[in-house]
Amino acid sequence: MADYDFPSEPISILNRPLSPHSSGGRPYYLHTPFSIKNPALNSAEGNHFSHPRMNAEENIDPRFELFLLGEGEKKVTEAPDTRIPSSSLFTFNKEDHTLGNLLRSRLLQSNHVTFAGYKIPHPLFSTFELRVQTDGAVTPRAAVIQACRDLVTDLGVLGREFTKEWELRKMVGEGAGGDSGEK
């Protein structure tokens, strides 16, 4: 592996200075976000990586912290929206676009839900906010609970159908393997 010398100063893209507006007044650094796996470079005397962001293994939280709740953390919190009637803001902790989009699309299938949308407040934190507005016949909380129940049912059906098709595919594959040898 070749020795790489990364600049310690901000560099511009296309050899033009970056405008302060393009990065919020901060220059872009074109460093690699990880340490190159070369013992000579990572040793004490040959370490070219003195930037604090260079060794990502030390800066990344353990994977289990992305989905396991800590002590005293709640998975979901609800805050009623006082500006709009029959509306609430739900904050889901340790979840991302996967659940947000599933819930939003399932809520919009309900006749009582007039609005459902989610946003990720910050891409580095695994939380999303789901805003739900109903017509008043059901509460936003009841609509979210029903959507979750419907999703669990749908995913159970999907799991059973997938397993059934997988088993059928394995049986067909075993049968075809014996037939192909005879021809």
Side-chain angles (χ1 to χ4, degrees):
M1 179 179 271
D3 290 341
Y4 293 99
D5 289 326
F6 292 101
S8 59
E9 300 176 16
I11 61 173
S12 63
I13 301 171
L14 301 175
N15 294 325
R16 288 183 294 173
L18 296 171
S19 72
H21 303 291
S22 64
S23 63
R26 297 178 310 254
Y28 287 107
Y29 287 88
L30 298 179
H31 292 299
T32 59
F34 54 88
S35 173
I36 293 177
K37 302 293 183 197
N38 186 341
L41 293 177
N42 291 328
S43 66
E45 60 273 3
N47 188 355
H48 298 284
F49 303 107
S50 60
H51 196 276
R53 295 184 305 185
M54 293 310 292
N55 193 354
E57 290 89 13
E58 294 174 2
N59 295 331
I60 294 176
D61 292 332
R63 290 258 187 219
F64 67 87
E65 288 185 6
L66 295 175
F67 57 88
L68 290 180
L69 294 174
E71 195 171 318
E73 282 184 308
K74 291 185 177 182
K75 189 64 157 180
V76 182
T77 57
E78 179 185 14
D81 192 353
T82 57
R83 299 173 295 164
I84 303 170
S86 299
S87 178
S88 288
L89 181 69
F90 298 90
T91 303
F92 287 78
N93 195 12
K94 307 283 178 136
E95 294 294 343
D96 59 1
H97 288 285
T98 305
L99 183 63
N101 197 26
L102 274 171
L103 280 174
R104 180 199 57 82
S105 63
R106 189 55 163 182
L107 282 164
L108 289 175
Q109 293 176 1
S110 172
N111 294 332
H112 299 292
V113 175
T114 57
F115 177 80
Y118 77 99
K119 72 173 184 174
I120 306 287
H122 195 280
L124 294 180
F125 302 113
S126 56
T127 61
F128 73 88
E129 296 173 354
L130 177 72
R131 185 175 302 273
V132 179
Q133 182 182 359
T134 62
D135 60 3
V138 297
T139 64
R141 181 184 186 126
V144 169
I145 290 172
Q146 186 59 44
C148 289
R149 287 184 179 140
D150 293 345
L151 282 172
V152 167
T153 303
D154 291 348
L155 292 173
V157 169
L158 177 68
R160 285 190 299 277
E161 289 296 318
F162 180 81
T163 303
K164 183 173 74 173
E165 289 295 324
W166 181 262
E167 293 298 324
L168 286 172
R169 177 75 61 167
K170 281 189 348 186
M171 288 186 337
V172 168
E174 290 172 358
D179 292 342
S180 63
E182 294 175 8
K183 291 183 181 180

